[in-house]
Amino acid sequence: MANGKKVRTLGVLTGGGDCPGLNAVIRAIVLTAEREGVRVQGIRNAYSGLIHQQFTELDSSKVDHLLQYGGTMLGSSNRDNPFQFMMTIDGEHRAVDVSETVIKNFHQAGLDGLIAIGGDGTLKITHKLTQMGLPAVCVPKTIDNDLLATDVTFGFDTAVGIATEAIDRIRTTAESHGRLMVVEVMGRNAGWIALFSGLAGGADVILIPEIPFSLQAIVNEIRSDRSAGKNFSIIVVAEGARQKDGEVVVKKMVDDPTEPRRLGGIGNVVGQLLEDETGYETRATVLGHIQRGGTPSTYDRNLSTRFGVHAARCAIEGKFGHLVALQKGLIELVPLAEAAEGQRLVSPDSDFIRVARSVGISFGDEL
Ligand code: F6P
């Protein structure tokens, strides 16, 4: 029931950067809703679809095959914020608040509730829209795993698996040539992908945004490995990592008033500095969007399905204004006001970091 009214039609959209498992969530929502006699309208390209009224009716025949497919059948965008929507008006390109249009078009489409699947940007936008009366439920996604309200987001496990496999492959060529190999992974301001894949891949050095590094500390680590007879080193670096007193490396600026910076390039910077400093031949590999594409892992398929089923039930029961989250193995409902705040970063004092240090991994912070 939404405001005492029975929920008959739900809208679903995917916002932010895509990640493996989005389609599995959409599928679970549609299959659950259909069994309850509730219709589902897919909204194309995140909130842009509500602004431009781009809908597609979904039923089991359209989603049943989607469990294994990466990406999102609805399309997504990580720059269409209705509160700062970029438009060209009278020849001037500027940000305009079109949030009222979103609410109007939502009602005009005959929707009784919205399920928004997205990361921190989508959560914040949806929370603001719920304060304007939009009945919505959110589902947490992102390969970065940086949402505070949930223990884990879907997409993360797949991205870590891809990065770990890449590190394994890089290891054999590193060993053959006796090289330093730098592997740059995604994660924005969070070091989760670097930490998990670096530990699983047996990296020698892991550089994360939460622990600024010194070049000298890495050089010392490499030299000590060489003295001990190891002829190669693997350095995993998160795209958001930076030197002590240094800045993050920005790959490009995009037309996004909320967060225009796209990170990337630190891997090549670190690689060149290390080669210059040590004299060892070095290569850098930037994994980039490979981490976001393709088949979701078993874990992500199942987490996505759990999130999708619970989000659909929550919306059908009219429990709007919540994020479905995984907490201690259970799916819980977290109020959006709480869920939209903060960012989940790696704590430098966490057990994970201590474990990594105990097996000899350097974070480039100890001289
Ligand atoms: O948030 C997911 C993510 O893949 C980040 O890890 C990365 O910094 C960013 O999106 C890349 O964005 P884009 O797809 O716009 O290059």
Side-chain angles (χ1 to χ4, degrees):
M1 304 275 275
N3 292 330
K5 190 177 144 214
K6 189 169 166 24
V7 171
R8 295 182 197 284
T9 309
L10 289 173
V12 58
L13 63 79
T14 51
D18 73 341
C19 79
L22 283 168
N23 278 327
V25 180
I26 297 168
R27 171 181 179 270
I29 291 168
V30 174
L31 296 183
T32 306
E34 206 169 75
R35 293 169 79 91
E36 298 288 333
V38 171
R39 291 173 57 210
V40 180
Q41 286 284 352
I43 298 160
R44 293 204 185 274
N45 304 320
Y47 276 106
S48 174
L50 270 174
I51 296 161
H52 298 301
Q53 297 175 293
Q54 297 165 322
F55 304 104
T56 176
E57 176 106 29
L58 299 177
D59 61 32
S60 51
S61 71
K62 297 210 176 101
V63 300
D64 209 12
H65 63 290
L66 287 180
L67 189 55
Q68 296 83 350
Y69 278 74
T72 162
M73 68 168 299
L74 294 174
S76 195
S77 164
N78 55 8
R79 56 177 85 171
D80 289 339
N81 178 350
F83 294 94
Q84 289 174 289
F85 196 69
M86 295 307 293
M87 292 175 87
T88 304
I89 299 171
D90 297 334
E92 194 198 342
H93 193 56
R94 60 186 167 92
V96 180
D97 183 347
V98 293
S99 53
E100 294 287 357
T101 309
V102 165
I103 307 272
K104 184 180 84 195
N105 290 348
F106 170 86
H107 291 298
Q108 222 165 57
L111 302 176
D112 305 308
L114 174 71
I115 300 178
I117 312 165
D120 62 342
T122 306
L123 279 188
K124 287 193 175 80
I125 293 166
T126 309
H127 176 230
K128 279 173 85 174
L129 290 167
T130 58
Q131 290 175 317
M132 295 168 65
L134 186 84
V137 172
C138 286
V139 178
K141 73 86 227 184
T142 168
I143 63 164
D144 303 337
N145 199 32
D146 60 353
L147 299 185
L148 209 47
T150 184
D151 292 347
V152 68
T153 52
F154 69 87
F156 173 65
D157 182 71
T158 307
V160 168
I162 293 166
T164 304
E165 190 193 334
I167 295 166
D168 289 349
R169 289 176 184 278
I170 280 169
R171 168 178 294 278
T172 60
T173 169
E175 203 167 353
S176 306
H177 291 268
R179 286 173 170 162
L180 305 184
M181 293 298 240
V182 179
V183 185
E184 180 185 307
V185 298
M186 281 184 165
R188 241 175 6 151
N189 308 317
W192 295 108
I193 299 176
L195 178 59
F196 274 55
S197 63
L199 184 62
D204 302 291
V205 178
I206 302 176
L207 305 177
I208 59 174
E210 296 86 344
I211 306 179
F213 62 90
S214 100
L215 195 68
Q216 193 54 49
I218 310 172
V219 169
N220 293 350
E221 174 69 21
I222 291 166
R223 291 217 169 107
S224 113
D225 281 354
R226 294 272 167 158
S227 318
K230 190 172 178 188
N231 79 331
F232 73 97
S233 302
I234 308 269
I235 298 111
V236 175
V237 51
E239 63 182 1
R242 62 181 171 85
Q243 293 196 57
K244 288 178 183 166
D245 306 322
E247 294 295 323
V248 289
V249 178
V250 175
K251 183 171 56 187
K252 61 159 66 178
M253 301 295 280
V254 298
D255 194 9
D256 172 0
T258 320
E259 176 45 287
R261 293 181 317 170
R262 291 294 180 269
L263 303 180
I266 183 75
N268 284 305
V269 171
V270 167
Q272 192 58 55
L273 289 171
L274 288 177
E275 188 169 74
D276 293 346
E277 196 61 35
T278 63
Y280 297 130
E281 194 173 26
T282 306
R283 296 286 185 270
T285 304
V286 180
L287 295 188
H289 290 80
I290 287 174
Q291 295 156 95
R292 264 180 30 196
T295 310
S297 66
T298 307
Y299 181 85
D300 279 337
R301 289 182 208 185
N302 290 339
L303 182 59
S304 299
T305 301
R306 289 178 78 190
F307 278 156
V309 167
H310 280 273
R313 283 190 193 148
C314 181
I316 291 166
E317 289 165 16
K319 294 182 193 153
F320 295 111
H322 291 97
L323 171 82
V324 291
L326 187 74
Q327 294 183 346
K328 297 193 172 84
L330 299 175
I331 305 289
E332 305 284 357
L333 296 183
V334 181
L336 281 184
E338 210 178 291
E341 289 309 317
Q343 201 178 20
R344 205 169 87 90
L345 298 176
V346 176
S347 161
D349 303 322
S350 63
D351 183 58
F352 227 99
I353 297 283
R354 280 199 294 273
V355 163
R357 288 194 199 274
S358 297
V359 295
I361 293 174
S362 164
F363 288 88
D365 59 333
E366 283 169 349
L367 281 173

